[in-house]
Amino acid sequence: MRHVVGFLSGLILGPVLLLLGGWVFSHLRRLHGSGLGALDGAGPLALAGLLGVGLVVALLAVPPRLTPMLPLGASLVLGGVTAVSLLRPHLLDRLPVLPGSEGALVLLPLGAYVPLVVVLFATVFVGGRWRREPEGVTEEEYFEGLYGEDDDRRGPASSALSGAPARSGPRHRA
């Protein structure tokens, strides 16, 4: 079920990335055309939008416990729209005019979204993202190996100074 929800969420986040990238591009192009820098006028707002694009991509691609279907859905949307803009550009005229669509329609035929497609699609090949947590492990058992008693929290250097033996790794129950 988590893969289905992730895939449907990716189908929603794909157009969000497309429009947000187009919106940032159109604002930065307008600033450059008027001779202003990225920190003048509405430049900080456009940079915040660019930071938002990067944050969304990082949140889709990096978390290891996230289903790989979420970034796959977003990459399929971005890749599909890029392919349509290259093969059948007249079909893009039917899209509704939304904030950011003007910039996105400029970036699509240039292939500017292809690197995003590759990064998001690559997450499908990370094997650990397909598996769920083991059913028998509770939250307490999971975190048990990360932190021991008070001596272990001080680190290996302080344990060596106090005479306490340092642990070599996390404990696991059989």
Side-chain angles (χ1 to χ4, degrees), residues 5-174:
V5 171
F7 185 73
L8 293 176
S9 300
L11 293 179
I12 294 170
L13 282 174
V16 169
L17 282 173
L18 181 76
L19 293 174
L20 189 56
W23 182 83
V24 168
F25 173 73
S26 64
H27 273 66
L28 289 177
R29 183 175 60 174
R30 196 172 307 125
L31 282 173
H32 180 70
S34 64
L36 297 174
L39 298 177
D40 300 326
L45 184 62
L47 289 178
L50 195 59
L51 182 68
V53 169
L55 186 63
V56 169
V57 170
L59 288 175
L60 287 174
V62 173
R65 294 186 184 171
L66 190 67
T67 176
M69 296 301 283
L70 181 65
L72 176 67
S75 70
L76 288 176
V77 168
L78 291 173
V81 174
T82 301
V84 166
S85 73
L86 294 173
L87 300 174
R88 306 259 186 204
H90 65 281
L91 293 177
L92 295 178
D93 295 336
R94 297 180 181 180
L95 292 176
V97 177
L98 297 169
S101 62
E102 174 190 334
L105 291 175
V106 172
L107 290 175
L108 280 169
L110 299 174
Y113 291 101
V114 172
L116 283 176
V117 171
V118 171
V119 166
L120 295 175
F121 188 75
T123 60
V124 172
F125 300 108
V126 178
R129 293 182 79 161
W130 288 101
R131 290 185 294 271
R132 209 169 235 249
E133 286 293 314
E135 295 294 329
V137 178
T138 65
E139 184 176 332
E140 294 169 359
E141 290 173 345
Y142 178 79
F143 287 108
E144 181 181 288
L146 296 177
Y147 300 110
E149 288 82 37
D150 290 337
D151 288 337
D152 292 336
R153 288 187 182 160
R154 288 184 277 166
S158 63
S159 296
L161 292 175
S162 67
R167 290 193 349 202
S168 61
R171 293 179 285 166
H172 297 285
R173 287 189 179 171

